[in-house]
Structure formats: structure tokens, C-alpha cells
Amino acid sequence: MRTISKKLNNEEVEAFGKEVEALREEMMAKVGKEDAYHIRFIYKTYRYTEILGRGLIHFSFEPISFVAGSLLLATSKILNNMELGHNVLHGQYDWMNDPRFNSRTFEWDIVSDAHQWKFYHNYMHHTFTNVLNKDHDYGYNFTRLTEGQKWKPTHLTQPFTNLFLAMNFQWGVGAHGYRVEYMEIPKKQRKKKTLKDYKAVFFKKIELQLVKDYLFFPLLAGLNFPKIILGNLIANLIRNLWTYAVIFCGHFTENAESFSVDDIVGETKAQWYLRQLKGSSNLDGSNFFYTMTGHLSHQIEHHMFPGMPAKRYREVAPRLKEICAKYGQHYNTGSFVKQFASVWKRIIAYSFPDSIAGKLMGTKKKYLEPKVVLSQPSFQISLPGEEKSASLT
Amino acid sequence: MKTFPFIYNEPREFLKSLQPKEWADFLLGEINPRFSTTAIKAKVVAVREETADTKTIVLKPNWLWKGFRSGQHVPVTVEIAGRRVTRFYSLSSHPKDKHLSITVKRQKGGLVSNFINQNIKKGDLLELGEASGEFVLPKMIPSKLLFLAGGSGITPIHSILKQLQSSKYDGKATLLYFVRSYEDVILRSSLEEIAKTTGWLNIRYIFSDVPKEGYDSGFLTKEILKKYTDDLKSYSVYVCGPAPMQTKALSLLEGNEVKSELFLLPGQTSLKVKKSGTVDVFLSLSHKTIQVKGERSLLEELEDQGIYPQSGCRMGICHTCVCKKAVGSVTDLSNGEVSELGEENIQICVSRAESNLELEL
Ligand code: FES
């Protein structure tokens, strides 16, 4: 993959990593009351929007209150999935020691089982961000986004399959998840738990979700049940489209880079930081927008510091940006519209073979010039599990 | 495939997934923060200063509180800087009192005891667990009782004395209360009131730091025991106080019936960082105890011994390896911080054992 960041030598990479790590430590030391207050506020909002949303759907007699109810329910689901669920499941609030916000016990309003999700997201995706064949979130198995993926005629359909995925995003996420878990366990252990076992977990969660939204609540409304089903469908659809948009902007914008398994052999923590930076992209917006994305608007910060309470990313971002500028590293950010457009440019471009894709994508800008040239002594953070990453297939 | 196999087979689990308890708790909590269906939440109705560094917190718990017996303790959870922290405190009130109370003395470096003394005020909310503990009177109350209290160890004994008072005890009881100085005597007026109104209680303060005329000074010795008891062997003894005093008492009272209660206070335990040799790790779900060196991360050391807890990134980012530590202290390798001794969730890939541990694995 071409890069528009300056190529750093080893010492520079380590110095960069050291600054990033110092920033992380400084921020983590501040974590406390405010963060607890924030997540409790989100929790409250999520509960109230659900009560109000479902209430309005049930008791609406005209379209306006029905639409308002569906929108509120969608908001509730978005908050539950993103600012609350995604961040809690990352363990960002484990330190609070509150079972409501604990990554071991939290379960969310989405068809993907929380435990499975933690495996393929927290572990696979966050450890191997944008590493082809290792990060299964990269294109979710059927979207080609780089020359590194071999072109097949079926890729011609990817603009359409992506539209479909966007509308059913939670299903896509859940369905690719159990396979990932199966594929990633060592071959020997596969006998103990078959693909079917993993699938059963997923199917159970699907069932719970479907029954809740499309049977339980509609039944409460008696003969009015079609209205409730429709309201839930709308809410789930909005949530799906929204999460799709936010998540695709996180790693698949034009200048987000991908890596090969060889790139990460023997990777140090500093190199890992750098890869997270290059593989992620941010969205600019208002504080409300940030909250509604679960702070995945700050995908770069999130990928560097997945365990940090998400609201802190707002504080981290400008500082991290400075560090990146200092080292001549591209800090990929832009408005939602701009970033989402560039995602779709990529989806469309790479649906064609390389010769056409290359032309559509155009040539990249030159390296950014770093503000300082560094020559600092190197230091080594050894990454636990080095042997592991080396033997990846 | 059956239609809805899970809901059909596990209706309970399905109901649970609708989170009725969470909803109930949320809504009740919105009505009144003390209300709950799952947690014993207690409102602070009064705070009384006992001594310069000790306060009694009077609590009104919600309907989930099941009561207690004199001498028992209760887990108290407070929120400090957004984090819930739990410690055990003896109940100093009598079970029949209108409200319950705990009496908390500030401990040097004690997170919770200092927080309670400094910050808890009328109207605050604490969370309690169920009362427990064997430091209670038997059904047949012995006719001769000896209480040895040290410092804040007086609190469960105070509760027991109140029980004796209300049950019209007609035996003989002696309280030897070891405390730094006269000013440090906790619950003094209440103790003396019991002694005055009943007549069976003999209270002796013994000052370890600041002697006072007319009182004994020093620590627990054979002589002091002899001085205030006639035939020592005939007493049932209750001991509550710091570890050194307990050890001493147990050695002096061989042959007696002794009940003791020990709270580990920070800085007072032998659980502090122990760099030489190995530490024991008890894995409570698999009922195994293993020894680790405490040199590398717990995850690595467990794996060396053929135990493979869930793990992922192995660098502290994915939280796959989070596990509940019930007892003991670990160092967080990512920032070098040594943890509390109590229950908390830890990431074992970035935690190193500092003391004997109990892990939920
Ligand atoms: S294994 Fe990922 S946090 Fe411990």
C-alpha cells in the first residue's frame, strides 16, 4: 500500500511510540469521576429514549408520533450499541467495578453475542488492525478495498452487496463473527468446539433479539401489532445504516492503509501504534455527533487506546495530532460526508481490476515533511506474543 | 430445528435477557436512589463524631436488608473517584435499634476509612451487602465473659454488649480495651452508660501511647489479664483488634474458649510485596492451587504451568483476559501500580502477582 506519511527509521518509530505512550499514561491518570458520570448519563439516556420510543410507537395514533417513537428507539439502540456497548465491552469502564458497565457481564441490543464479539473485535480486529487475512473486519469477507486483495469477478457486485450490508449491518457483523472465532482457534482445538457450536451461540442471540423486537413487544400491543413491528424495523434499520457508515469510515477511507502479515512480524509496541494510526481514520463533528458514533469518530485515538474511556479521545486528539505532525505522519481526518464519500470511492474503484482501480483512485500525494528530524537512541518494547504473530497463516 | 428452541428450552434465560431486574432497578432508582430490587442501598441519616479520627455512620437501609446479629460485619461499598470500592466493617449498633450504624476509624493510608471519615455526610448513599461473621454470642450465653478490644476492634464488641444489655444478662463481663490514649477511646459514653445502668460490666481502658493517671498503660500481658480476672480459665473470651494483639492474646489464652475477629488493615498485613520465593494462586473455579514466582505476568506464569486462561492480545488492550481477583494484590505492569487487596477485576496479561491470590478461573 502506498503511504502519504513519511517513512520513519527505527529510532524515530520508537521515539514516536514513546511520546504516544506518555500521552496515554497522562490521560489514564485523569480517568475517574467524570468518566463515571458520563457513562451513567449515557446509560440513563439510553433507558429513557427506549421507554419513550417504545411508548410512542405503542400509543401513537398519527404518523408524526409514530416516526418520533421509531427515531427515539433508534437513538436508544445506537447509544446502547456504540457509546455504551462498544466502549464497555472494550473494558473501558471495568475499573468502575459496576456490573452495569463491566466487560465481562455486559450484553447488548444487537444480534451479535457480546462474548463472541469481544473475540473477533477486541482481540482479532484490534490486534491485527488492517492486516489482510488476519483482520476479518477488513472488508467483512467480500469487499475488496486494496490491491492486496486479489480481484475476482464477483467483486463487481460489491457496491450492491455493500448497500445490502449497510441495511443489515448487525447481521453481517454477527454472522462473520462466529466463523472468525472458529477459524482462529488452533486446528487441534477445533474438534472440541465445532463451527456448529459457535453458530448456536449466534443463533441463540438472533432468536432472543427477534423475539424481543418482533414478538414480545408487538404482542403487548394486541391487534396493533403490525405497527410495532414496523416501528422496530425502522429503528433497527436506522441503527444499521448508521453503524455501517461510522464503522466503514473508520478504516476504509481513501488514505487508510492496509498491511500484510509479513509487515507485523516482530512488531514492537511503537510500530503497533504507528500501524493503528495509519490504518484508521477520523470524523470531524460536534460533541453530539461524537457521542452518537460512540466516539468512533475518533477511530485513531480509539485504536491506539482502546481501553481508555472514549470521551477522553476528544482531549487526546489535538495532542496526538501534534505528535503526528512532528513526525510527518498523516493524521487521517475529515467531515463525515467527505470521509464517507471516499469510502464509497474505494468500494467502487476496487470492484474493478487493478488497472482500472488504480486510475480511479489516482496517484497519492508525496510524503508529508516532518517538522523535526530525530536521532534518538532506540528503546525496545517487546510485544508479548511475538512468536505468535510470526507464525500466523 | 424446533421453532424458537432456546426460548422453548430456556424460558428463564430468555426472560433474563429482557433485563427485568435492570429495568426495575433503573426505574426504582429514578424514583428514589435508595430503592432497588438487587442491592442493599442505605441512606446516611446521621454522622456522629466519636473521636478525632473516628466516626459513626448511621444508616437506613432499604427493604432488602435482612438484619444481623451483634458482632457481625457487613461489606460496605462506597464510590471513590467513580470507582466502587468495598470494605468490611463491623456493625456497632444493636440489631433492635431503629437504624444501623458502622463506626469507622481512619487507618493510615486506608482508602475507604479515610474517605468515609472525610466525605460521607448526611443524605449520602452507601451500598451494603449481607451481614455475616461468626463473632457472635452463642445461644447459651456464658456466665463469665472477657472482651479484649484493640482500637477500632471495639465496634463489634460494643454491639455484643448492647445485646447483653437488652437480654438482661446476669453474668459477669470484663472489657479490657487497649487504645492509644484516653482521647482515642471509641464509643466511650455508650460503653460507660451500659456499665452504669447494668452493673455486670467492668470496663478497663489500657493506654499504649499516652499514659493517664489512674489507668493502666502498656500492651496486653499475662499480668494484666490476671489482674482483672479471677480464674482466667473459666472465661469465654472475645478478641477483636489489630493482628499483633490477636496473636498475643491467642498465645496467652491457650485452653480458653476464644472467638476472634481480625480485619486486615492496609500496612498491617503480611500480604505486602514479597519478592523472594513464590506465591500461591488459588483458582477458585477449577479448585487448584499453584505456585507462581511473581516475576512475569500472571497469564504467562499460569501458561507455564499448563493453565490457559482466555487471552487475546496479551498486551492489555483487548480485555479478553479479564478475571475476577477475590483476594490478594497484583501489580499492574502497564503503570507499576500495586492494587488493593480486595475484590476487583484484573487483566492477567498485564498483572503480576504480589501476594497470595485467589482468582476466579
Ligand atoms: S489478553 Fe488482551 S488484555 Fe489481556
Side-chain angles (χ1 to χ4, degrees):
Chain A
M1 181 96 191
R2 290 160 303 180
T3 177
I4 58 172
S5 296
K6 182 192 182 268
K7 269 222 149 45
L8 302 178
N9 64 30
N10 282 347
E11 283 93 67
E12 287 166 334
V13 172
E14 295 306 321
F16 169 82
K18 204 174 183 175
E19 289 198 38
V20 171
E21 181 60 25
L23 180 57
R24 186 188 76 86
E25 275 164 23
E26 188 192 320
M27 280 297 150
M28 288 307 280
K30 288 193 200 167
V31 169
K33 221 177 182 153
E34 279 172 58
D35 306 82
Y37 174 82
H38 171 73
I39 202 65
R40 280 194 295 244
F41 174 74
I42 296 295
Y43 181 80
K44 229 179 190 178
T45 318
Y46 137 66
R47 290 281 186 208
Y48 273 121
T49 44
E50 180 163 0
I51 299 175
L52 268 175
R54 292 201 187 276
L56 278 175
I57 294 175
H58 272 255
F59 300 111
S60 59
F61 291 104
E62 23 70 48
I64 296 178
S65 53
F66 172 75
V67 170
S70 307
L71 283 175
L72 276 169
L73 184 57
T75 309
S76 172
K77 282 176 180 269
I78 287 171
L79 285 174
N80 170 285
N81 289 178
M82 304 187 88
E83 185 64 2
L84 190 63
H86 170 256
N87 293 330
V88 163
L89 289 174
H90 264 292
Q92 291 176 2
Y93 299 95
D94 280 358
W95 57 272
M96 281 173 69
N97 216 356
D98 186 327
R100 289 176 303 173
F101 309 119
N102 195 292
S103 62
R104 295 170 79 217
T105 46
F106 191 87
E107 188 56 73
W108 52 359
D109 187 2
I110 180 177
V111 294
S112 174
D113 173 75
H115 191 82
Q116 261 178 9
W117 185 84
K118 276 191 284 182
F119 178 84
Y120 63 80
H121 180 86
N122 285 6
Y123 171 36
M124 295 309 297
H125 170 62
H126 273 271
T127 313
F128 305 104
T129 314
N130 286 22
V131 174
L132 297 180
N133 297 324
K134 205 57 201 166
D135 176 0
H136 302 265
D137 282 18
Y138 202 82
Y140 293 90
N141 262 337
F142 60 82
T143 313
R144 180 175 178 265
L145 296 157
T146 161
E147 300 88 358
Q149 292 165 294
K150 224 177 144 257
W151 183 82
K152 284 184 249 148
T154 50
H155 286 133
L156 282 170
T157 63
Q158 73 183 23
F160 306 101
T161 47
N162 263 277
L163 268 178
F164 185 75
L165 175 68
M167 288 194 281
N168 300 286
F169 194 55
Q170 60 163 343
W171 300 89
V173 169
H176 105 284
Y178 72 84
R179 273 200 212 113
V180 171
E181 196 164 358
Y182 175 71
M183 274 166 9
E184 290 298 336
I185 49 166
K187 286 233 165 55
K188 267 190 223 145
Q189 287 174 30
R190 281 195 195 167
K191 284 200 194 85
K192 270 199 254 159
K193 254 187 160 187
T194 60
L195 185 59
K196 231 175 119 198
D197 296 329
Y198 289 111
K199 201 164 149 186
V201 176
F202 171 53
F203 271 59
K204 175 177 182 176
K205 189 66 199 293
I206 292 180
E207 190 185 305
L208 297 176
Q209 287 296 103
L210 287 181
V211 170
K212 173 168 75 68
D213 281 353
Y214 301 113
L215 201 67
F216 179 80
F217 284 111
L219 279 181
L220 287 186
L223 279 179
N224 260 334
F225 72 93
K227 194 178 69 173
I228 317 299
I229 293 179
L230 184 66
N232 278 285
L233 264 175
I234 295 175
N236 279 321
L237 178 69
I238 296 174
R239 186 265 316 270
N240 285 344
L241 289 170
W242 177 245
T243 40
Y244 171 89
V246 170
I247 288 165
F248 267 61
C249 285
H251 298 289
F252 312 139
T253 55
E254 219 175 325
N255 292 323
E257 301 174 26
S258 62
F259 310 87
S260 73
V261 175
D262 297 331
D263 290 341
I264 60 163
V265 175
E267 193 178 52
T268 64
K269 182 81 185 261
Q271 288 166 332
W272 180 83
Y273 274 137
L274 202 57
R275 176 159 59 84
Q276 302 306 318
L277 169 70
K278 291 180 175 176
S280 315
S281 44
N282 278 13
L283 300 169
D284 300 330
S286 65
N287 283 347
F288 175 71
F289 172 79
Y290 293 156
T291 305
M292 291 309 282
T293 66
H295 286 89
L296 293 178
S297 51
H298 292 68
Q299 191 73 248
I300 297 175
E301 286 75 18
H302 174 59
H303 261 267
M304 286 185 159
F305 317 120
M308 182 185 290
K311 198 176 159 224
R312 296 271 164 195
Y313 299 154
R314 297 182 196 170
E315 239 176 302
V316 175
R319 306 264 309 269
L320 189 62
K321 220 169 171 172
E322 268 170 36
I323 299 177
C324 292
K326 185 169 155 191
Y327 289 84
Q329 298 303 299
H330 178 57
Y331 183 94
N332 189 341
T333 186
S335 72
F336 178 57
V337 175
K338 179 187 149 229
Q339 297 288 62
F340 198 49
S342 92
V343 167
W344 273 87
K345 180 175 168 196
R346 219 168 138 175
I347 292 175
I348 293 167
Y350 285 105
S351 67
F352 298 108
D354 281 344
S355 51
I356 305 174
K359 270 194 208 116
L360 286 174
M361 292 298 286
T363 39
K364 301 245 164 161
K365 285 173 263 166
K366 275 274 156 57
Y367 290 159
L368 297 169
E369 271 314 309
K371 291 205 178 117
V372 285
V373 184
L374 284 134
S375 57
Q376 277 187 11
S378 85
F379 73 105
Q380 198 83 14
I381 310 166
S382 79
L383 174 73
E386 257 171 28
E387 319 82 49
K388 217 174 161 195
S389 36
S391 65
L392 301 171
T393 43
Chain B
M1 201 159 78
K2 275 180 264 166
T3 353
F4 302 132
F6 294 110
I7 287 159
Y8 181 76
N9 294 326
E10 296 165 53
R12 258 163 211 269
E13 202 175 323
F14 171 69
L15 276 182
K16 224 176 100 194
S17 79
L18 291 177
Q19 305 193 325
K21 278 198 174 153
E22 284 85 346
W23 274 107
D25 265 3
F26 173 73
L27 294 171
L28 288 171
E30 290 295 288
I31 297 165
N32 181 334
R34 202 164 54 86
F35 295 171
S36 168
T37 58
T38 51
I40 306 171
K41 297 198 179 154
K43 194 167 152 187
V44 178
V45 290
V47 176
R48 280 201 305 266
E49 201 146 326
E50 297 292 343
T51 68
D53 61 358
T54 306
K55 278 184 181 155
T56 291
I57 313 289
V58 186
L59 297 164
K60 184 179 166 201
N62 64 16
W63 53 68
L64 293 174
W65 176 249
K66 289 208 200 79
F68 70 104
R69 293 169 68 193
S70 284
Q72 288 193 312
H73 51 248
V74 63
V76 178
T77 303
V78 290
E79 194 184 305
I80 303 177
R83 186 166 132 243
R84 289 157 44 90
V85 203
T86 306
R87 292 288 185 277
F88 283 88
Y89 290 105
S90 291
L91 289 144
S92 51
S93 55
H94 179 251
K96 293 214 182 83
D97 288 349
K98 184 157 164 244
H99 297 306
L100 33 120
S101 66
I102 53 171
T103 301
V104 182
K105 181 180 153 76
R106 276 186 131 123
Q107 303 297 336
K108 235 210 198 119
L111 182 66
V112 178
S113 66
N114 277 294
F115 179 84
I116 289 181
N117 270 278
Q118 261 161 33
N119 299 301
I120 294 293
K121 50 188 189 318
K122 201 175 153 184
D124 283 355
L125 213 63
L126 304 181
E127 199 175 311
L128 306 179
E130 267 174 42
S132 64
E134 291 308 309
F135 193 70
V136 292
L137 287 172
K139 271 227 168 63
M140 287 290 300
I141 300 178
S143 57
K144 277 173 148 187
L145 285 162
L146 172 62
F147 295 100
L148 301 177
S152 55
I154 189 68
T155 51
I157 291 174
H158 175 256
S159 180
I160 293 177
L161 291 173
K162 289 202 83 163
Q163 184 196 346
L164 290 171
Q165 179 187 26
S166 78
S167 65
K168 310 251 158 26
Y169 181 60
D170 58 1
K172 205 175 136 204
T174 305
L175 166 63
L176 301 186
Y177 185 5
F178 297 84
V179 64
R180 279 208 309 265
S181 71
Y182 186 73
E183 284 68 41
D184 287 311
V185 174
I186 299 171
L187 296 163
R188 189 176 64 224
S189 55
S190 179
L191 289 170
E192 282 166 10
E193 158 108 20
I194 299 171
K196 227 179 28 230
T197 52
T198 63
W200 46 256
L201 178 61
N202 180 18
I203 305 176
R204 291 287 148 191
Y205 304 127
I206 297 139
F207 303 122
S208 57
D209 286 16
V210 190
K212 191 175 162 81
E213 211 171 314
Y215 291 90
D216 290 281
S217 52
F219 295 96
L220 179 63
T221 58
K222 187 123 215 156
E223 289 64 50
I224 290 225
L225 282 180
K226 282 253 168 67
K227 188 166 164 192
Y228 293 110
T229 54
D230 36 355
D231 175 23
L232 182 59
K233 286 267 170 296
S234 61
Y235 282 80
S236 285
V237 190
Y238 284 76
V239 189
C240 186
M245 174 194 156
Q246 303 236 1
T247 327
K248 184 86 201 191
L250 292 179
S251 73
L252 291 176
L253 290 163
E254 261 174 75
N256 277 69
E257 201 192 307
V258 181
K259 270 199 185 169
S260 70
E261 175 108 306
L262 172 66
F263 287 108
L264 296 176
L265 304 171
Q268 189 194 42
T269 67
S270 55
L271 290 172
K272 276 267 141 161
V273 185
K274 191 174 77 183
K275 269 281 127 34
S276 60
T278 60
V279 298
D280 286 351
V281 180
F282 175 59
L283 308 175
S284 62
L285 295 184
S286 41
H287 295 279
K288 248 189 229 155
T289 302
I290 58 159
Q291 271 94 36
V292 301
K293 291 215 186 75
E295 285 166 356
R296 289 176 303 138
S297 81
L298 269 168
L299 180 62
E300 289 171 314
E301 295 196 306
L302 288 171
E303 287 180 344
D304 284 349
Q305 314 225 10
I307 295 163
Y308 294 98
Q310 277 205 6
S311 70
C313 66
R314 309 171 70 91
M315 55 203 265
I317 59 163
C318 74
H319 289 249
T320 306
C321 65
V322 172
C323 124
K324 189 192 258 173
K325 163 179 77 74
V327 174
S329 156
V330 295
T331 295
D332 185 339
L333 294 170
S334 68
N335 57 14
E337 251 169 48
V338 182
S339 76
E340 311 278 355
L341 289 169
E343 195 180 288
E344 61 189 344
N345 288 316
I346 58 168
Q347 289 164 276
I348 55 174
C349 73
V350 287
S351 296
R352 191 184 62 209
E354 286 299 351
S355 70
N356 288 353
L357 297 175
E358 183 180 327
L359 301 178
E360 210 166 80
L361 271 178

